[in-house]
Amino acid sequence: MHMVVLTKGVPDFREGQVSFDEDGHLERGKTPTVMNPNDRFALEAALQTRVRHGGRVSVMSMGPPGYKEVLQEAMESVYADDLHLVSDREMAAADTWATAITLSAGIETLGEPDIVFAGFKTADGETGHTGPQTNWCLDMPLVTHVISLDIDEDEGVLRAKRLVEGDIEEVETVETSLPAFVVTDPEFTPSYRTAGERLTLKDLRAETQERAENYEDHLTVRDHADINVDPDYIGLDGSPTIVSSVDPIPKAPAEREATMVDPDDSSAMQDVLEAMKSAVGGDTAAAGGD
């Protein structure tokens, strides 16, 4: 089994205000970059498949050279056998469509994977377009909002449970042939059903963390010529999306009012308890605790 997982670097919003330039483009250099949180579920799905069926997990991203560290994070925090970054200036300021064209071309340089995994949506764009658009370029069966899956290698079939239109109350079971494209939902939960699978998981996690220490030994960087794409169809030139306006994310207050309470002051602590009871609208006495 060969699995490819797509990931992206997004601003670490915990660091404060995110800046945009006058054209509405995100100024990423002013905010630390981390792996998109939803991509972790795609990585977990690939790792589960790797545990059960063996094979190889390749993780790919499109972005600036700094995305090498995002790929390292993917390898260390979840799993990867090898890493792939498609990167050059021709790809800058791409919308989801130009990104999909670039990623699909990058995937094709790896051969034909059995499964391509993508996260539901990114923390910055919030469109959820890139995965399905990349799949459209690759012309694979597409299963979205996946919360669990398994593979029948003998039949070449993927079976999955998925949320219906993102509704966590309604789940359907679907089946499709391989190769296939899977978009995981944030409700995805990996399952390791036997002691053998759990031991394999432990070994693979140790191996990937060791690889991550020298991740560049497992990293391949390709530019637009390497993946054979025309610059007119990627980056800003290949992006039909026009950003008309942007609502900046407000920065949290640097200072907040606080009242210091001495834990040995029983009267003051009683006031804190009463305030907490009022906030939750219930009686905290029943909760117990020390």
Side-chain angles (χ1 to χ4, degrees), residues 147 161-164 167-173:
I147 60 173
K161 291 184 178 179
R162 64 179 300 274
L163 303 182
V164 178
D167 183 352
I168 62 173
E169 301 299 327
E170 186 175 356
V171 177
E172 65 179 0
T173 301

Side-chain angles (χ1 to χ4, degrees), residues 59-60 62 71-72 83 110 132 165 198 200 237 241:
V59 181
M60 177 176 288
M62 185 203 86
L71 290 168
Q72 180 190 26
L83 305 172
L110 306 182
E165 296 183 356
R198 291 189 286 273
T200 299
D237 289 345
T241 305

Side-chain angles (χ1 to χ4, degrees), residues 81-267:
D81 289 290
D82 46 77
L83 305 172
H84 302 268
L85 177 64
V86 285
S87 176
D88 70 23
R89 297 182 65 86
E90 299 289 351
M91 301 171 188
D95 67 0
T96 59
W97 176 241
T99 299
I101 291 174
T102 306
L103 288 172
S104 62
I107 291 168
E108 288 174 347
T109 66
L110 306 182
E112 185 177 56
D114 296 284
I115 310 174
V116 179
F117 291 96
F120 171 44
K121 59 184 178 180
T122 59
D124 50 2
E126 288 275 331
T127 66
H129 291 172
T130 303
Q133 287 176 331
T134 303
N135 172 73
W136 188 89
C137 296
L138 295 171
D139 195 24
M140 291 179 171
L142 172 65
V143 188
T144 61
H145 289 291
V146 171
I147 60 173
S148 68
L149 62 87
D150 204 356
I151 308 296
D152 187 325
E153 289 189 87
D154 293 334
E155 296 185 13
V157 166
L158 179 148
R159 298 185 178 94
K161 291 184 178 179
R162 64 179 300 274
L163 303 182
V164 178
E165 296 183 356
D167 183 352
I168 62 173
E169 301 299 327
E170 186 175 356
V171 177
E172 65 179 0
T173 301
V174 297
E175 179 179 298
T176 188
S177 59
L178 297 176
F181 197 109
V182 171
V183 177
T184 52
D185 191 89
E187 294 294 321
F188 180 88
T189 303
S191 173
Y192 299 100
R193 300 170 291 195
T194 67
E197 287 184 358
R198 291 189 286 273
L199 286 172
T200 299
L201 172 65
K202 181 180 178 181
D203 290 342
L204 291 177
R205 290 283 295 123
E207 290 172 10
T208 195
Q209 289 171 3
E210 183 177 349
R211 272 194 298 273
E213 294 179 4
N214 300 292
Y215 73 97
E216 289 190 281
D217 294 342
H218 309 277
L219 171 68
T220 301
V221 181
R222 297 178 175 87
D223 61 18
H224 77 276
D226 294 327
I227 62 174
N228 194 30
V229 291
D230 187 329
D232 289 341
Y233 295 95
I234 62 174
L236 183 60
D237 289 345
S239 299
T241 305
I242 298 174
V243 179
S244 61
S245 64
V246 174
D247 293 328
I249 299 172
K251 187 175 183 178
E255 297 181 0
R256 298 179 181 178
E257 294 183 4
T259 300
M260 302 299 294
V261 176
D262 184 344
D264 295 326
D265 185 339
S266 59
S267 177

Side-chain angles (χ1 to χ4, degrees), residues 273 276-277 283-290:
L273 179 61
M276 292 173 61
K277 289 169 61 177
D283 186 355
T284 59
D290 297 327

